[in-house]
Amino acid sequence: MNSRLAEQISYLLLRHEYVVVPQLGGFIREKLPANYDPTKRLAYPPSAELHFNQALIHSDGLLEGRYAELLGLSLRRARLVLEEEVRQLRLSLIKQGHYELSGIGELSLSQEGQLSFVPSAHALATQSASYGYAPLSLPELPSQQSRSKGARRTRSERDGRYISLRLSKRALGYAAVAIFTILALLPWGNRVETTMHYQAGFTPSIEAARQLFGEQEVVAEPRAEEQTKGGLSWSTEQDGRYYIVLATERTEERIQGYLTEVRGAFPEAHLVALRSPHGRTIRLCLTSFPSSAEAYAYLNTLVKEHPSYRSSWVFRNS
């Protein structure tokens, strides 16, 4: 019945930022905003990425409540059904070393007992973030000088391989009105997410983090940061350290927009913006630590002292 478990995880990820599977781990949906790539002249719609955190094993009640509603059971009996399905999943992982959650991704179990996760390219939880839109080509408009040169061309200079179309200004105006009307009716702001965030109780204790990740600390070499803009350090180096992520965006302008608020809450903090070497993601980080135990201990303190940052999470830069 683990197909039912995968279906309910996907159902909840469409409505929440993360879902915890008791005694297994948590699936996190990281939202990425729309952006424009000037090199390719493409505008990309909003998107999302799926992550898995083995440290999130304490139930948040979402799956139990969903099972109780789906099966018409009490919460206690629904919890027993869920625990049995998770037990079957763990047995499959131990026997086969991997398990495919349909519509989510594949879980793998190493010989050391560590779980890894590869998200599916067709996961519904990530595809829904783009609202079904495809990248839109937005070519650069020709300059006034190039338009003037083109106007001076004679018919004898035109290439006979191409067909020239003459469209009236009125027809172009009607087309522009139709396009703007369609864009205005599209549900850009309709989202199914709720305002649920991470709770401090779901972050592991120092002892749990040490059991999961060990005691070995990462000795980072001196950082070669790209540059500093407005008191914010920018870097693409993968140093293996554990960072406290406050926000994820795709443009420098959006990251800069967080600085005033974050500086007010953490005036002495050394903020770092990490650029993803494999994509367009930029993560605004508060601080970093050489080990996961220290990072999760700091995250627990951060959530308690600054509740408005309870959606922060730990990211290993490797």
Side-chain angles (χ1 to χ4, degrees):
M1 298 300 292
N2 281 325
S3 59
R4 178 171 60 191
L5 176 61
E7 291 175 359
Q8 301 317 309
I9 294 174
S10 295
Y11 175 87
L12 293 173
L13 282 174
L14 290 173
R15 293 156 175 80
H16 304 277
E17 293 182 350
Y18 70 100
V19 175
V20 177
V21 181
Q23 305 306 316
L24 183 68
F27 292 91
I28 305 167
R29 185 164 66 102
E30 182 183 11
K31 295 177 292 183
L32 302 175
N35 76 301
Y36 177 71
D37 189 339
T39 59
K40 298 180 179 179
R41 306 286 196 269
L42 290 176
Y44 294 91
S47 60
E49 293 181 356
L50 278 182
H51 306 282
F52 179 78
N53 191 339
Q54 189 178 354
L56 299 176
I57 58 175
H58 299 292
S59 174
D60 55 2
L62 290 178
L63 272 175
E64 289 93 332
R66 178 59 184 165
Y67 268 58
E69 178 184 0
L70 183 68
L71 303 176
L73 303 175
S74 65
L75 281 176
R76 179 178 176 277
R77 297 192 64 182
R79 188 178 299 113
L80 295 176
V81 174
L82 175 61
E83 289 176 354
E84 175 61 24
E85 293 190 4
V86 175
R87 187 184 70 83
Q88 294 178 12
L89 190 153
R90 293 174 63 90
L91 286 176
S92 298
L93 277 172
I94 294 173
K95 293 180 180 179
Q96 303 175 11
H98 60 87
Y99 189 88
E100 178 73 23
L101 284 169
S102 178
I104 300 176
E106 184 178 60
L107 287 170
S108 299
L109 181 66
S110 67
Q111 295 182 351
E112 294 76 18
Q114 296 296 320
L115 283 174
S116 59
F117 174 68
V118 178
S120 172
H122 305 289
L124 181 60
T126 56
Q127 290 184 337
S128 63
S130 64
Y131 303 98
Y133 304 140
L136 178 64
S137 176
L138 296 176
E140 184 178 2
L141 294 176
S143 63
Q144 182 64 34
Q145 182 179 4
S146 62
R147 288 198 299 268
S148 300
K149 291 181 180 179
R152 290 196 298 266
R153 288 182 180 177
T154 63
R155 292 189 176 182
S156 60
E157 295 174 337
R158 293 177 181 172
D159 195 335
R161 295 174 299 174
Y162 300 96
I163 299 175
S164 299
L165 297 178
R166 300 182 63 184
L167 298 176
S168 66
K169 294 182 178 179
R170 178 174 295 181
L172 292 176
Y174 289 154
V177 170
I179 292 174
F180 280 117
T181 302
I182 293 173
L183 291 176
L185 295 176
L186 291 176
W188 291 97
N190 296 339
R191 300 186 178 183
V192 295
E193 299 104 2
T194 66
T195 56
M196 294 189 63
H197 300 282
Y198 292 102
Q199 302 295 328
F202 301 144
T203 56
S205 63
I206 299 177
E207 292 76 9
R210 285 173 177 166
Q211 292 177 3
L212 289 170
F213 302 101
E215 295 286 350
Q216 183 178 3
E217 295 188 355
V218 177
V219 180
E221 298 180 355
R223 296 182 60 85
E225 295 173 348
E226 296 177 353
Q227 53 187 331
T228 301
K229 299 180 182 179
L232 177 63
S233 299
W234 295 77
S235 176
T236 57
E237 180 186 3
Q238 294 179 292
D239 53 9
R241 293 177 65 85
Y242 295 84
Y243 285 80
I244 305 298
V245 179
L246 301 180
T248 303
E249 295 291 347
R250 283 194 170 180
T251 63
E252 295 186 12
E253 292 76 10
R254 289 181 177 270
I255 289 293
Q256 293 288 349
Y258 286 98
L259 282 183
T260 302
E261 176 186 350
V262 175
R263 284 298 183 195
F266 309 99
E268 303 297 330
H270 176 66
L271 300 177
V272 178
L274 295 178
R275 296 180 185 270
S276 173
H278 306 296
R280 300 174 299 277
T281 305
I282 304 175
R283 294 182 173 91
L284 178 61
C285 304
L286 175 62
T287 184
S288 66
F289 298 91
S291 67
S292 61
E294 294 177 82
Y296 279 108
Y298 182 86
L299 181 60
N300 279 327
T301 304
L302 173 69
V303 170
K304 293 177 182 178
E305 295 180 355
H306 301 275
S308 59
Y309 291 93
R310 59 182 175 269
S311 61
S312 304
W313 57 289
V314 175
F315 171 70
R316 188 171 189 268
N317 186 24
S318 61

